């Protein structure tokens, strides 16, 4: 099994035009989940959810801090290793993993460790291996995305020769912003590899009615102070988006290399491949010129494609619009591996559901399912005005309760109370906040129903009929 996780990849960059190899080899023969979201649109929480199959309110990680992860030895790579898999990590790991003297340690559950160290850049970086630290420079061959793809392909060739099954997780930095640009174009932006440095120089922004939103008086007050993006700001956002597209094109070259390694090793038919991102990204929507931790569709919705091994029937659909969420990834991987989420001291209760039944048409997800959206920053986050919120996303609605915010990125977080409610059917671009509704109206009743449902999800755990009754008495959907 191979999981490829990109960083900050917006859905508009996930297209056959930008990623032709990825679509030809992995998306088109598999299932493209077009309504897949992350529960917390931030790097470290998304990685913790992949490792545990749990919402952040259960695994402890609702901000960028590995130190918050509860029971950090009872995680996905350990479960797979107990099931007989050789586990391989390539690329970036949790934010803050190196803190507390862990820089020389291999994280629990991993057999092969090829992990980049902070500070991370596209050139002139270090990688921790099982044998020590390896340094990379600024030559063409040292570009981080190309290096990680090459290392992953090498590991595939080596592990595919053995009888033992392997699990490889490739965590890219791209298309996250980072140092290492060798010219002025992508300085402090996503950095493409040498073949793609001039790609998408004049690419238009995704656009849509949400871009540079003219009237944001409906948004919470802490966002209403955002200025209209002027010509200079718009040009800067456009430059960043073009760099992201070019960086994704370099990612796509790496996916072609992974495909070749699988084919040459005669392992393609026996391997499941999952492609996704830790969160999306905003490029000027609602006047937010960059970032991801706001609870809007551009940050929440991310790519997900799953190509199943040949032992399974052909997927029932090539695209699924089912309400899938990243808590479902670990259950799906365990389902494919026929492995339980357990270590010697006990099992972890998963909040998600396997997507295998949805892909095969044998056990479709409930289209009425609701998923939790949550964030809890601390102190003075590096970016964004959103600090803490809880919310719910259904087929028809997004409802958010803000509890902490700040007026500027120079300020610490503080208590705040605001509501957001968007009708996903009538307001795809989230232009009109319906909350708070006038009292004694059908809309007020609808918002109260969402608030009541959120009260169940905010401390939910496990799945009814599969898991023990949680301490809260609330199962996840």
């Amino acid at each position: 099994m191979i999981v490829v996780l990109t960083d900050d990849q917006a859905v508009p960059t996930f297209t056959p035009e930008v990623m032709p190899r990825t679509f030809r080899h992995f998306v088109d023969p598999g299932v493209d989940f077009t309504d897949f979201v992350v529960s917390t649109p931030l790097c470290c929480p998304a990685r913790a959810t992949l490792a545990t199959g749990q919402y952040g309110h259960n695994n402890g990680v609702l901000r960028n801090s590995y130190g918050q992860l509860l029971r950090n030895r009872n995680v996905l790579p350990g479960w797979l290793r107990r099931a007989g898999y050789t586990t391989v990590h390539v690329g970036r790991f949790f934010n803050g993993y190196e803190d507390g003297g862990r820089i020389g340690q291999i994280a629990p559950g991993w057999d092969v460790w090829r992990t980049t160290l902070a500070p991370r850049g596209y050139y002139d970086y270090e990688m921790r291996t099982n044998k020590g630290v390896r340094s990379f420079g600024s030559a063409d061959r040292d570009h981080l995305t190309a290096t990680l793809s090459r290392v992953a392909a090498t590991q595939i060739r080596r592990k595919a020769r053995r009888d033992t099954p392997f699990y490889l997780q490739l965590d890219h930095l791209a298309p996250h912003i980072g140092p290492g640009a060798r010219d002025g174009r992508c300085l402090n932006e996503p950095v493409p590899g040498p073949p793609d440095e001039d790609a998408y120089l004049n690419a238009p922004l995704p656009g849509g009615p949400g871009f540079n939103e003219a009237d944001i008086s409906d948004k919470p007050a802490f966002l209403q102070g955002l200025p209209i993006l002027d010509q200079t700001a718009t040009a800067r956002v456009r430059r960043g988006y073009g760099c992201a597209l070019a960086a994704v094109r370099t990612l796509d070259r790496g996916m072609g290399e992974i495909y070749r390694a699988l084919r040459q090793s005669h392992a393609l038919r026996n391997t499941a491949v999952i492609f996704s991102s830790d969160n999306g990204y905003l490029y000027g929507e609602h006047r937010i010129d960059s970032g991801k931790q706001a609870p809007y569709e551009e940050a929440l919705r991310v790519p997900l494609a799953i190509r199943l091994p040949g032992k399974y029937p052909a997927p029932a659909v090539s695209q699924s619009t089912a309400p899938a969420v990243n808590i479902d990834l670990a259950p799906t991987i365990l389902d494919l591996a026929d492995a339980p989420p357990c270590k010697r001291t006990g099992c972890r209760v998963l909040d998600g559901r396997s997507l295998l039944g949805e892909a095969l048409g044998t056990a479709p997800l409930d289209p009425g399912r609701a998923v939790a959206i949550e964030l809890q920053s601390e102190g003075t986050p590096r970016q964004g005005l959103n600090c803490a919120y809880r919310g719910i996303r259904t087929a028809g609605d997004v409802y958010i309760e803000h509890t902490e915010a700040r007026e500027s990125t120079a300020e610490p977080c503080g208590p705040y109370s605001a509501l957001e409610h968007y009708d996903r059917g009538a307001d795809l671009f989230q232009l009109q906040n319906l909350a708070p509704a006038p009292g004694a109206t059908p809309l007020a009743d609808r918002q109260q129903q969402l608030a009541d449902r959120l009260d169940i999800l905010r401390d939910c755990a496990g799945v009814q009929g599969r898991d023990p009754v949680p301490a809260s008495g609330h199962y996840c959907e």
Side-chain angles (χ1 to χ4, degrees):
M1 289 189 289
I2 297 171
V3 172
V4 180
L5 195 70
T6 62
D7 197 329
D8 290 2
Q9 186 173 2
V11 167
T13 71
F14 184 67
T15 67
E17 292 74 27
V18 181
M19 306 191 76
R21 301 165 185 85
T22 305
F23 272 77
R24 183 165 62 249
H25 300 316
F26 301 111
V27 181
D28 293 343
V31 182
D32 182 5
F33 288 81
T34 60
D35 196 32
F36 179 72
V37 298
V38 295
S39 56
T40 302
L42 203 57
C43 303
C44 197
R47 284 166 170 72
T49 294
L50 172 59
T52 64
Q54 292 180 321
Y55 284 119
H57 65 252
N58 286 326
N59 65 40
V61 184
L62 286 167
R63 57 181 182 272
N64 275 337
S65 174
Y66 174 80
Q68 302 299 310
L69 181 61
L70 303 174
R71 301 167 66 198
N72 63 9
R73 294 184 175 276
N74 198 1
V75 289
L76 178 64
W79 306 332
L80 293 172
R81 189 160 68 176
R82 281 182 59 82
Y85 280 74
T86 298
T87 57
V88 182
H89 183 263
V90 177
R92 67 163 301 182
F93 200 55
F94 287 81
N95 303 66
Y97 176 75
E98 297 92 339
D99 300 341
R102 302 186 191 93
I103 191 169
Q105 299 178 9
I106 299 173
W110 297 104
D111 294 308
V112 179
W113 192 242
R114 301 289 186 271
T115 301
T116 51
L117 300 176
R120 298 172 183 87
Y122 286 91
Y123 292 100
D124 299 305
Y125 54 90
E126 292 183 325
M127 179 184 293
R128 179 69 167 84
T129 73
N130 295 70
K131 296 180 179 180
V133 176
R134 181 182 174 188
S135 297
F136 293 80
S138 57
D140 285 1
R141 183 176 172 82
D142 291 327
H143 185 272
L144 178 64
T145 305
T147 297
L148 297 181
S149 299
R150 188 169 61 247
V151 170
T154 298
Q155 290 296 323
I156 290 168
R157 291 186 177 95
R158 289 176 179 173
K159 300 301 181 287
R161 291 198 298 262
R162 304 178 182 179
D163 293 333
T164 304
F166 68 87
Y167 171 78
L168 187 149
Q169 185 173 315
L170 170 55
D171 286 313
H172 278 291
L173 175 64
H176 194 288
I177 62 173
R182 300 190 298 184
D183 57 28
R185 179 202 174 192
C186 293
L187 185 66
N188 297 320
E189 298 289 355
V191 180
D196 304 303
E197 286 176 342
D198 295 327
Y200 300 103
L201 285 172
N202 299 305
L205 286 164
F211 177 76
N212 210 8
E213 190 174 348
D215 181 4
I216 56 174
S217 60
D218 64 303
K219 299 296 184 287
F222 66 88
L223 290 175
Q224 292 178 19
L226 293 175
I228 285 281
L229 301 179
D230 61 16
Q231 187 174 4
T232 300
T234 300
R236 184 178 65 249
V237 175
R238 184 175 178 181
R239 178 174 66 91
Y241 183 66
C243 291
L245 287 170
V248 169
R249 174 56 66 94
T250 306
L251 278 168
D252 183 62
R253 294 180 188 278
M255 294 301 293
E257 194 166 352
I258 287 171
Y259 174 79
R260 287 192 297 273
L262 287 168
R263 188 185 61 190
Q264 292 166 3
S265 303
H266 306 289
L268 186 64
R269 182 172 174 78
N270 299 325
T271 305
V273 179
I274 298 174
F275 181 96
S276 191
S277 183
D278 58 358
N279 49 254
Y281 207 75
L282 291 107
Y283 289 99
E285 292 86 0
H286 316 297
R287 302 190 195 174
I288 300 173
D289 60 0
S290 64
K292 58 223 181 180
Q293 62 192 62
Y296 298 127
E297 285 291 290
E298 295 83 7
L300 295 172
R301 197 161 64 88
V302 298
L304 174 65
I306 301 176
R307 174 173 173 155
L308 296 174
K311 74 175 185 179
Y312 289 97
V317 293
S318 59
Q319 283 192 341
S320 168
T321 60
V325 61
N326 60 339
I327 58 171
D328 299 329
L329 292 180
T332 303
I333 293 166
L334 293 175
D335 196 1
L336 288 164
D338 193 22
C342 304
K343 65 189 294 282
R344 289 186 180 87
T345 55
C347 295
R348 190 186 282 267
V349 175
L350 308 184
D351 300 331
R353 300 167 180 268
S354 172
L355 299 178
L356 189 56
E358 172 68 27
L360 298 175
T362 57
L365 291 174
D366 181 357
R369 180 192 193 189
V371 300
I373 307 300
E374 51 191 9
L375 175 76
Q376 178 64 64
S377 297
E378 183 175 284
T380 306
R382 295 175 63 183
Q383 62 175 250
L385 302 178
N386 304 88
C387 293
Y389 53 73
R390 291 287 192 275
I392 182 173
R393 185 181 187 274
T394 71
D397 300 274
V398 175
Y399 174 83
I400 305 292
E401 297 178 353
H402 294 271
T403 55
E404 291 183 32
R406 55 182 178 166
E407 298 295 332
S408 77
T409 55
E411 299 176 5
C413 297
Y416 199 90
S417 179
L419 300 176
E420 291 188 82
H421 173 213
Y422 301 96
D423 184 325
R424 292 189 60 215
D427 185 14
L428 180 64
F429 296 98
Q430 297 175 303
L431 301 179
Q432 185 57 53
N433 180 15
L434 302 174
T441 63
L443 182 59
D445 292 340
R446 181 175 167 189
Q447 289 177 6
Q448 185 59 56
Q449 292 168 3
L450 290 167
D452 292 343
R453 204 167 175 183
L454 172 58
D455 282 340
I456 294 174
L457 283 184
R458 73 174 70 241
D459 59 3
C460 73
V463 173
Q464 188 170 14
R466 186 193 71 188
D467 301 311
V469 177
S472 66
H474 299 152
Y475 285 107
C476 301
E477 296 191 25

